[in-house]
Amino acid sequence: MMRRLSPSQMSGAGLGIAAISYVAVDYMRYVSPWGHSRLQPVLWSVLVLAVVTRVPFYKHWSKELRAAIPFLASIFFLLGALLFEALCVRSVTAVLGLDWHRDTSPLPDTGQWFLLALNESLPEAIVEILRAHIIGLHHFLMLFVMLGFSVVFDSVKAPGLGLGARYIFTMGLGRLLRAITFVSTILPSARPWCASARFNNVPSHPHRWAQKYYVPYAKDPSAIRQLLHWDAAYADPGNYIGDYRADWGPMSFLSDFLRPSYSEGSSWFALLKKAGGGCNDLLYSGHMLVAVLTAMAWTEAYGGFSSALIWLLVAHSAQREIRERHHYSVDCVVAIYVGILLWKMTGFIWSNKRKSKQTVRLEKIQNRLIHAAKDSDMETVRRLVEEMEVSLGEEKQSGVVSKRAMTVFACATVITTLGIVILALTLTSDG
């Protein structure tokens, strides 16, 4: 006898189907541009209409209201982390000059060798699947957005903003740690031509610090031995080659780190927007961090077969990052376990997992009530029952919000979140 699915199970299955459909339809741009141009608007319209029609029946806006402040704080934290990362990306690219990027060979990467060996041994059809651009950065972001909005279908426990706050904060923390990591030791790019193509205005010569502390010892083992012996920069670097100093007002100190040219020195912020993903090897991969955080959020909040599929897409994305030499293998490996550990570490942020102060207080009263009942202390039982009634009244009163205010908050939340989604997907559509 066939078992009927409950409405919650049907909505849960619908989330997995919607996720698979989104990835499949978007990939059609490579196999059937005509079909993609017609199916994608239909899919987007169906998804948006499904969410909008469910919003008026959503019952957990009070939880979303409590999670709104952590959500906004997480966004500001992420923006600050991204700004710091952009400063570090430009700095590590510029500090050694374009000549270093042109002359320095990529590091040996056994992962790249392994993939090249697989190309020779696997069937051509499988190799083509491994090479296919099935999923990118903006896909993983969209998959998380779909997961967050699925709270209106009861596929994921509310609040969606709480889950979003955890995701955004974890991503910001991961980006901050990533910037600290790659700025600590400068690694050559797996694509040696990248810096000259993207940063053609960066000076060819090294920064004066590199001229003094790196260049005299870079290729001479005996010089490095002496450096270790004296623990001081003893070599005479000669006359320093100076750099252009931009006039950025209070931010002029950044000129020493960003090394702008005369033609691009009008604005430090405009300079950072050109950095993109950088051209050094940036340990660890930011793309893989986003992918792993999406997979972790999906696995914990939703689970099921679609979660296993997303992890397969993470693995596919990782091997493509290595195959196309956007990153070394170590970048992807480190991003995977750092993403998993960071997600586990920030579990306290998802407010659905936390107990309110009223709940903790009621649990304490309940424990005392049980002990009093066992001791047949009716006076204590009566007093504790009164305390419980007062606590319940306070909790109910604190949760009362006017219907008009909640409606305004709901509309503002949906509009703002959709705006953030559109902005994020627009800025990351090219990876």
Side-chain angles (χ1 to χ4, degrees), residues 352-417:
N352 185 64
K353 304 290 185 179
R354 295 179 296 175
K355 296 180 180 179
S356 65
K357 292 181 179 179
Q358 290 87 351
T359 302
V360 174
R361 183 179 176 185
L362 287 173
E363 287 182 353
K364 291 181 179 179
I365 295 176
Q366 183 182 22
N367 293 333
R368 291 163 58 195
L369 185 61
I370 292 172
H371 288 296
K374 288 180 179 180
D375 296 337
S376 300
D377 187 352
M378 299 308 299
E379 182 63 28
T380 304
V381 169
R382 188 180 301 108
R383 179 170 52 81
L384 290 174
V385 169
E386 292 176 355
E387 287 185 23
M388 185 174 291
E389 290 177 349
V390 172
S391 296
L392 289 172
E394 291 176 353
E395 184 175 10
K396 185 176 180 180
Q397 185 67 27
S398 63
V400 173
V401 181
S402 69
K403 186 175 181 180
R404 179 178 297 180
M406 196 60 71
T407 301
V408 172
F409 170 73
C411 294
T413 300
V414 173
I415 294 173
T416 302
T417 307

Side-chain angles (χ1 to χ4, degrees), residues 2-21:
M2 185 176 291
R3 184 171 64 90
R4 291 187 61 185
L5 295 176
S6 66
S8 61
Q9 289 174 317
M10 293 177 64
S11 64
L15 175 60
I17 294 172
I20 296 170
S21 301

Side-chain angles (χ1 to χ4, degrees), residues 140-371:
F140 285 112
L141 291 173
M142 183 58 187
L143 287 174
F144 177 78
V145 170
M146 294 171 68
L147 180 69
F149 272 104
S150 66
V151 294
V152 301
F153 301 98
D154 294 324
S155 300
V156 173
K157 292 182 180 179
L161 290 181
L163 180 60
R166 180 181 179 184
Y167 182 80
I168 293 172
F169 176 80
T170 308
M171 189 184 300
L173 184 59
R175 290 282 181 169
L176 189 61
L177 294 175
R178 174 180 184 249
I180 295 172
T181 302
F182 70 69
V183 82
S184 301
T185 301
I186 300 174
L187 302 175
S189 174
R191 295 184 164 199
W193 63 88
C194 176
S196 298
R198 186 180 296 178
F199 297 95
N200 57 344
N201 289 318
V202 167
S204 297
H205 60 276
H207 185 274
R208 57 185 176 83
W209 272 29
Q211 293 176 48
K212 180 177 181 180
Y213 301 116
Y214 171 73
V215 173
Y217 318 99
K219 300 179 180 180
D220 187 350
S222 61
I224 297 176
R225 184 182 295 272
Q226 283 292 102
L227 180 66
L228 293 175
H229 176 72
W230 291 103
D231 193 26
Y234 65 88
D236 182 10
N239 295 325
Y240 292 128
I241 304 176
D243 289 336
Y244 167 75
R245 300 285 298 180
D247 184 11
W248 293 333
M251 306 300 290
S252 294
F253 70 94
L254 290 177
S255 180
D256 197 39
F257 299 97
L258 304 181
R259 303 189 73 194
S261 65
Y262 179 79
S263 60
E264 60 178 358
S266 58
S267 169
W268 65 272
F269 188 73
L271 189 70
L272 292 181
K273 291 194 295 183
K274 300 177 184 178
C279 280
N280 292 72
D281 178 59
L282 306 179
L283 178 68
Y284 40 89
S285 170
H287 286 60
M288 289 308 303
L289 177 68
V290 174
V292 170
L293 292 183
T294 299
M296 287 297 293
W298 197 283
T299 301
E300 183 172 317
Y302 182 71
F305 172 76
S306 56
S307 297
L309 179 61
I310 290 177
W311 278 108
L312 286 177
L313 293 174
V314 171
H316 185 278
S317 183
Q319 64 87 30
R320 230 187 69 230
E321 288 285 305
I322 300 168
R323 180 184 299 275
E324 298 175 2
R325 294 200 169 212
H326 296 295
H327 281 282
Y328 295 115
S329 302
V330 64
D331 304 324
C332 296
V333 172
V334 173
I336 290 173
Y337 66 69
V338 167
I340 293 173
L341 292 175
L342 286 179
W343 182 261
K344 291 294 185 181
M345 188 185 73
T346 56
F348 67 93
I349 297 175
W350 193 2
S351 57
N352 185 64
K353 304 290 185 179
R354 295 179 296 175
K355 296 180 180 179
S356 65
K357 292 181 179 179
Q358 290 87 351
T359 302
V360 174
R361 183 179 176 185
L362 287 173
E363 287 182 353
K364 291 181 179 179
I365 295 176
Q366 183 182 22
N367 293 333
R368 291 163 58 195
L369 185 61
I370 292 172
H371 288 296

